[in-house]
mmCIF file with all atom_site columns, all heavy atoms in Angstrom:
data_model
loop_
_atom_site.group_PDB
_atom_site.id
_atom_site.type_symbol
_atom_site.label_atom_id
_atom_site.label_alt_id
_atom_site.label_comp_id
_atom_site.label_asym_id
_atom_site.label_entity_id
_atom_site.label_seq_id
_atom_site.pdbx_PDB_ins_code
_atom_site.Cartn_x
_atom_site.Cartn_y
_atom_site.Cartn_z
_atom_site.occupancy
_atom_site.B_iso_or_equiv
_atom_site.pdbx_formal_charge
_atom_site.auth_seq_id
_atom_site.auth_comp_id
_atom_site.auth_asym_id
_atom_site.auth_atom_id
_atom_site.pdbx_PDB_model_num
ATOM 1  N N   . TYR A 1 76 ? -55.085 -188.589 96.943  1.00 0.00 ? 755 TYR A N   1
ATOM 2  C CA  . TYR A 1 76 ? -55.093 -188.030 95.592  1.00 0.00 ? 755 TYR A CA  1
ATOM 3  C C   . TYR A 1 76 ? -55.682 -186.618 95.599  1.00 0.00 ? 755 TYR A C   1
ATOM 4  O O   . TYR A 1 76 ? -55.140 -185.705 94.969  1.00 0.00 ? 755 TYR A O   1
ATOM 5  C CB  . TYR A 1 76 ? -55.895 -188.917 94.631  1.00 0.00 ? 755 TYR A CB  1
ATOM 6  C CG  . TYR A 1 76 ? -56.194 -188.224 93.319  1.00 0.00 ? 755 TYR A CG  1
ATOM 7  C CD1 . TYR A 1 76 ? -55.208 -188.078 92.343  1.00 0.00 ? 755 TYR A CD1 1
ATOM 8  C CD2 . TYR A 1 76 ? -57.445 -187.655 93.073  1.00 0.00 ? 755 TYR A CD2 1
ATOM 9  C CE1 . TYR A 1 76 ? -55.458 -187.403 91.163  1.00 0.00 ? 755 TYR A CE1 1
ATOM 10 C CE2 . TYR A 1 76 ? -57.700 -186.980 91.887  1.00 0.00 ? 755 TYR A CE2 1
ATOM 11 C CZ  . TYR A 1 76 ? -56.709 -186.856 90.934  1.00 0.00 ? 755 TYR A CZ  1
ATOM 12 O OH  . TYR A 1 76 ? -56.967 -186.169 89.770  1.00 0.00 ? 755 TYR A OH  1
ATOM 13 N N   . LEU A 1 77 ? -56.793 -186.428 96.321  1.00 0.00 ? 756 LEU A N   1
ATOM 14 C CA  . LEU A 1 77 ? -57.450 -185.114 96.331  1.00 0.00 ? 756 LEU A CA  1
ATOM 15 C C   . LEU A 1 77 ? -56.577 -184.053 96.994  1.00 0.00 ? 756 LEU A C   1
ATOM 16 O O   . LEU A 1 77 ? -56.688 -182.870 96.692  1.00 0.00 ? 756 LEU A O   1
ATOM 17 C CB  . LEU A 1 77 ? -58.813 -185.195 97.036  1.00 0.00 ? 756 LEU A CB  1
ATOM 18 C CG  . LEU A 1 77 ? -59.901 -185.964 96.264  1.00 0.00 ? 756 LEU A CG  1
ATOM 19 C CD1 . LEU A 1 77 ? -61.139 -186.162 97.136  1.00 0.00 ? 756 LEU A CD1 1
ATOM 20 C CD2 . LEU A 1 77 ? -60.274 -185.270 94.966  1.00 0.00 ? 756 LEU A CD2 1
ATOM 21 N N   . SER A 1 78 ? -55.700 -184.482 97.907  1.00 0.00 ? 757 SER A N   1
ATOM 22 C CA  . SER A 1 78 ? -54.773 -183.533 98.542  1.00 0.00 ? 757 SER A CA  1
ATOM 23 C C   . SER A 1 78 ? -53.639 -183.150 97.595  1.00 0.00 ? 757 SER A C   1
ATOM 24 O O   . SER A 1 78 ? -53.040 -182.092 97.721  1.00 0.00 ? 757 SER A O   1
ATOM 25 C CB  . SER A 1 78 ? -54.170 -184.137 99.815  1.00 0.00 ? 757 SER A CB  1
ATOM 26 O OG  . SER A 1 78 ? -55.203 -184.456 100.717 1.00 0.00 ? 757 SER A OG  1
ATOM 27 N N   . ASN A 1 79 ? -53.341 -184.052 96.657  1.00 0.00 ? 758 ASN A N   1
ATOM 28 C CA  . ASN A 1 79 ? -52.234 -183.805 95.732  1.00 0.00 ? 758 ASN A CA  1
ATOM 29 C C   . ASN A 1 79 ? -52.595 -184.344 94.346  1.00 0.00 ? 758 ASN A C   1
ATOM 30 O O   . ASN A 1 79 ? -52.042 -185.331 93.870  1.00 0.00 ? 758 ASN A O   1
ATOM 31 C CB  . ASN A 1 79 ? -50.969 -184.506 96.270  1.00 0.00 ? 758 ASN A CB  1
ATOM 32 C CG  . ASN A 1 79 ? -49.756 -184.197 95.418  1.00 0.00 ? 758 ASN A CG  1
ATOM 33 O OD1 . ASN A 1 79 ? -49.692 -183.172 94.757  1.00 0.00 ? 758 ASN A OD1 1
ATOM 34 N ND2 . ASN A 1 79 ? -48.811 -185.114 95.391  1.00 0.00 ? 758 ASN A ND2 1
ATOM 35 N N   . PRO A 1 80 ? -53.561 -183.689 93.681  1.00 0.00 ? 759 PRO A N   1
ATOM 36 C CA  . PRO A 1 80 ? -54.086 -184.232 92.416  1.00 0.00 ? 759 PRO A CA  1
ATOM 37 C C   . PRO A 1 80 ? -53.123 -184.097 91.245  1.00 0.00 ? 759 PRO A C   1
ATOM 38 O O   . PRO A 1 80 ? -52.275 -183.208 91.227  1.00 0.00 ? 759 PRO A O   1
ATOM 39 C CB  . PRO A 1 80 ? -55.341 -183.387 92.171  1.00 0.00 ? 759 PRO A CB  1
ATOM 40 C CG  . PRO A 1 80 ? -55.060 -182.095 92.870  1.00 0.00 ? 759 PRO A CG  1
ATOM 41 C CD  . PRO A 1 80 ? -54.218 -182.436 94.065  1.00 0.00 ? 759 PRO A CD  1
ATOM 42 N N   . ASP A 1 81 ? -53.267 -184.996 90.281  1.00 0.00 ? 760 ASP A N   1
ATOM 43 C CA  . ASP A 1 81 ? -52.476 -184.960 89.053  1.00 0.00 ? 760 ASP A CA  1
ATOM 44 C C   . ASP A 1 81 ? -53.268 -184.175 87.998  1.00 0.00 ? 760 ASP A C   1
ATOM 45 O O   . ASP A 1 81 ? -53.994 -184.751 87.199  1.00 0.00 ? 760 ASP A O   1
ATOM 46 C CB  . ASP A 1 81 ? -52.203 -186.392 88.586  1.00 0.00 ? 760 ASP A CB  1
ATOM 47 C CG  . ASP A 1 81 ? -51.269 -186.441 87.372  1.00 0.00 ? 760 ASP A CG  1
ATOM 48 O OD1 . ASP A 1 81 ? -51.023 -185.362 86.780  1.00 0.00 ? 760 ASP A OD1 1
ATOM 49 O OD2 . ASP A 1 81 ? -50.818 -187.536 87.020  1.00 0.00 ? 760 ASP A OD2 1
ATOM 50 N N   . LEU A 1 82 ? -53.111 -182.852 88.019  1.00 0.00 ? 761 LEU A N   1
ATOM 51 C CA  . LEU A 1 82 ? -53.909 -181.994 87.128  1.00 0.00 ? 761 LEU A CA  1
ATOM 52 C C   . LEU A 1 82 ? -53.501 -182.168 85.668  1.00 0.00 ? 761 LEU A C   1
ATOM 53 O O   . LEU A 1 82 ? -54.321 -182.008 84.763  1.00 0.00 ? 761 LEU A O   1
ATOM 54 C CB  . LEU A 1 82 ? -53.773 -180.523 87.539  1.00 0.00 ? 761 LEU A CB  1
ATOM 55 C CG  . LEU A 1 82 ? -54.278 -180.183 88.954  1.00 0.00 ? 761 LEU A CG  1
ATOM 56 C CD1 . LEU A 1 82 ? -54.084 -178.704 89.247  1.00 0.00 ? 761 LEU A CD1 1
ATOM 57 C CD2 . LEU A 1 82 ? -55.732 -180.577 89.149  1.00 0.00 ? 761 LEU A CD2 1
ATOM 58 N N   . LYS A 1 83 ? -52.237 -182.520 85.444  1.00 0.00 ? 762 LYS A N   1
ATOM 59 C CA  . LYS A 1 83 ? -51.763 -182.690 84.065  1.00 0.00 ? 762 LYS A CA  1
ATOM 60 C C   . LYS A 1 83 ? -52.475 -183.883 83.411  1.00 0.00 ? 762 LYS A C   1
ATOM 61 O O   . LYS A 1 83 ? -52.912 -183.823 82.266  1.00 0.00 ? 762 LYS A O   1
ATOM 62 C CB  . LYS A 1 83 ? -50.248 -182.899 84.075  1.00 0.00 ? 762 LYS A CB  1
ATOM 63 C CG  . LYS A 1 83 ? -49.610 -182.707 82.723  1.00 0.00 ? 762 LYS A CG  1
ATOM 64 C CD  . LYS A 1 83 ? -48.100 -182.737 82.820  1.00 0.00 ? 762 LYS A CD  1
ATOM 65 C CE  . LYS A 1 83 ? -47.514 -182.782 81.416  1.00 0.00 ? 762 LYS A CE  1
ATOM 66 N NZ  . LYS A 1 83 ? -46.137 -183.284 81.410  1.00 0.00 ? 762 LYS A NZ  1
ATOM 67 N N   . ASP A 1 84 ? -52.582 -184.968 84.179  1.00 0.00 ? 763 ASP A N   1
ATOM 68 C CA  . ASP A 1 84 ? -53.292 -186.151 83.690  1.00 0.00 ? 763 ASP A CA  1
ATOM 69 C C   . ASP A 1 84 ? -54.752 -185.786 83.412  1.00 0.00 ? 763 ASP A C   1
ATOM 70 O O   . ASP A 1 84 ? -55.308 -186.123 82.359  1.00 0.00 ? 763 ASP A O   1
ATOM 71 C CB  . ASP A 1 84 ? -53.212 -187.264 84.749  1.00 0.00 ? 763 ASP A CB  1
ATOM 72 C CG  . ASP A 1 84 ? -53.883 -188.552 84.282  1.00 0.00 ? 763 ASP A CG  1
ATOM 73 O OD1 . ASP A 1 84 ? -53.843 -188.835 83.059  1.00 0.00 ? 763 ASP A OD1 1
ATOM 74 O OD2 . ASP A 1 84 ? -54.455 -189.266 85.115  1.00 0.00 ? 763 ASP A OD2 1
ATOM 75 N N   . GLY A 1 85 ? -55.352 -185.062 84.351  1.00 0.00 ? 764 GLY A N   1
ATOM 76 C CA  . GLY A 1 85 ? -56.746 -184.644 84.188  1.00 0.00 ? 764 GLY A CA  1
ATOM 77 C C   . GLY A 1 85 ? -56.940 -183.784 82.953  1.00 0.00 ? 764 GLY A C   1
ATOM 78 O O   . GLY A 1 85 ? -57.895 -183.961 82.192  1.00 0.00 ? 764 GLY A O   1
ATOM 79 N N   . ALA A 1 86 ? -56.003 -182.854 82.726  1.00 0.00 ? 765 ALA A N   1
ATOM 80 C CA  . ALA A 1 86 ? -56.098 -181.962 81.564  1.00 0.00 ? 765 ALA A CA  1
ATOM 81 C C   . ALA A 1 86 ? -56.021 -182.764 80.265  1.00 0.00 ? 765 ALA A C   1
ATOM 82 O O   . ALA A 1 86 ? -56.732 -182.484 79.297  1.00 0.00 ? 765 ALA A O   1
ATOM 83 C CB  . ALA A 1 86 ? -54.984 -180.913 81.609  1.00 0.00 ? 765 ALA A CB  1
ATOM 84 N N   . GLY A 1 87 ? -55.171 -183.790 80.254  1.00 0.00 ? 766 GLY A N   1
ATOM 85 C CA  . GLY A 1 87 ? -55.047 -184.641 79.067  1.00 0.00 ? 766 GLY A CA  1
ATOM 86 C C   . GLY A 1 87 ? -56.342 -185.383 78.764  1.00 0.00 ? 766 GLY A C   1
ATOM 87 O O   . GLY A 1 87 ? -56.769 -185.474 77.609  1.00 0.00 ? 766 GLY A O   1
#
Side-chain angles (χ1 to χ4, degrees):
Y755 167 76
L756 290 172
S757 301
N758 185 26
D760 185 349
L761 298 180
K762 196 172 170 200
D763 182 33

